[in-house]
Structure formats: structure tokens, C-alpha cells
Amino acid sequence: MWGVAELDGNDYVFVSWTRHADDVLDEQYVITWRIALDGTFQLASTYAKPIELGWHALALGLIASEVKDGERDANLRFLHDPSNFNFVTTTQGRLGDLLRQGRCTIVEPVGVDYLPKQKDKPTEKGDLWRVLLLVNCNIPGPRFYTHNGVITFEKSEGQDWEPQSSFAQRIAAFPPGSWFARMEPKEREE
């Protein structure tokens, strides 16, 4: 359902839905946008902030939460399709394309989240988006990367995506096929 509401002297546009047609109204999702006096829109639903990255990011975040909640009919095909992660960009290219070229499949868990800065923790990072994937890759390389390898990227508003996990750093730094061509002695020991 789409609608318009007035709260505290401000106008809001909202869309709401439930997972199942027979769900009660208190089990609905709602995404709300505040309409400013100049006519611009501002997203007011924090959990829906991934929509600012595009509809793929929002859908991935919602499907991942369905999986986490034990939803039986979650769209795993969409969740595990690497091309849906192309909104994450690196110097080597788009993440989904890189995973496909690196012969990687996505497994559980998957996360596409928005993390607001905690007001009581001023020394921590600001608002950011985080993408977390586990992947299995059919390529030569250390097993801790190629089997349930952890890929994490974060992005602050107005900034580029930054690799956070060591596998993400390799994906961002080297083209597919050479992610493990150069390994530091310390990495080999691990």
C-alpha cells in the first residue's frame, strides 16, 4: 500500500507491505520518506537505507533478513546471484562480475546493512553501509579464502566502497585469476 501522512507538521510518503497476504498489519514493513518544504525527499526509515544504493541492495537486505528469520520461501536464487552485488564497485570492477570471473558462488550468510553512527560513541566511524558475503571459489588458493571465504565491504556516504576483510582487499587489489598469485610469507603461514 502507498500512502501520504502528516506527522508533526511534516508530510511523509510511505509504502508498506507484509511478507504474506494473511499477515496482520503489525507485521508489515514500512518505508517512509519525509517531504521537505523545498519538495525534496529524505528517507526516514533507517532500516531501509540500503535503498539509497539501489533496489538490488534493498532487496538483498530484505531477503537476507527473511533467511535469518527462518522464512521458508525466501528468494535464495536472487540472494545468491553475484550480479545483484554489482552496486559494490572496486578499482578492479563491479563485485558481482569479479566474483563470477573468480568462479565464486555465494553461500550463507549474506548481509546488506546500514549502520548508523552511535551517538554515544563519537570516536567510531560514521554512518555506513556494509556488505558481508561468504563465498566458495573454484580456484587455487588457501582454503580459508576459497571455502567459506569472508568478503566484507563498507561505504560511508559520499565515499567509495572500502574492502574490510583480507579477501575483499585481494579482490579490490588484483584481477580475478591472480587473487592469490602473490602471498606474503606471513599469509602462507596462516
Side-chain angles (χ1 to χ4, degrees):
M1 167 173 84
W2 282 93
V4 177
E6 184 179 329
L7 300 168
D8 304 327
N10 294 304
D11 287 332
Y12 292 85
V13 174
F14 67 90
V15 61
S16 66
W17 71 96
T18 59
R19 286 184 183 168
H20 307 283
D22 59 346
D23 285 349
V24 293
L25 289 180
D26 63 344
E27 295 176 353
Q28 68 184 339
Y29 290 92
V30 179
I31 300 176
T32 308
W33 292 268
R34 182 179 168 275
I35 305 170
L37 292 175
D38 64 1
T40 59
F41 290 81
Q42 178 183 16
L43 188 64
S45 303
T46 303
Y47 77 89
K49 288 287 275 188
I51 200 169
E52 293 181 353
L53 304 173
W55 73 269
H56 286 95
L58 176 65
L60 289 164
L62 292 173
I63 295 168
S65 70
E66 288 179 352
V67 170
K68 185 176 158 188
D69 294 345
E71 185 69 26
R72 288 183 321 205
D73 297 326
N75 190 344
L76 295 177
R77 196 163 160 216
F78 187 88
L79 191 65
H80 294 165
D81 182 347
S83 67
N84 292 323
F85 292 88
N86 276 339
F87 62 91
V88 177
T89 55
T90 74
T91 55
Q92 295 298 319
R94 300 179 307 180
L95 180 59
D97 294 342
L98 296 172
L99 292 175
R100 197 175 300 263
Q101 292 168 18
R103 299 192 325 248
C104 297
T105 57
I106 298 169
V107 296
E108 300 303 321
V110 172
V112 178
D113 301 299
Y114 174 75
L115 306 164
K117 182 174 183 170
Q118 302 296 317
K119 293 186 184 352
D120 61 339
K121 298 180 182 174
T123 59
E124 289 189 6
K125 290 183 180 179
D127 299 355
L128 57 92
W129 290 269
R130 178 179 294 151
V131 171
L132 166 71
L133 303 173
L134 285 187
V135 295
N136 292 330
C137 302
N138 187 15
I139 56 174
R143 185 163 170 78
F144 59 87
Y145 285 123
T146 61
H147 183 72
N148 287 329
V150 178
I151 298 172
T152 308
F153 283 89
E154 291 181 352
K155 174 186 183 355
S156 297
E157 194 159 346
Q159 302 297 312
D160 292 332
W161 284 97
E162 295 181 20
Q164 299 299 307
S165 64
S166 55
F167 195 4
Q169 290 169 358
R170 291 189 162 281
I171 289 171
F174 306 108
S178 64
W179 289 338
F180 306 110
R182 291 183 283 165
M183 303 252 332
E184 299 296 323
K186 189 183 244 184
E187 288 178 303
R188 291 190 191 282
E189 290 173 17
E190 291 175 1

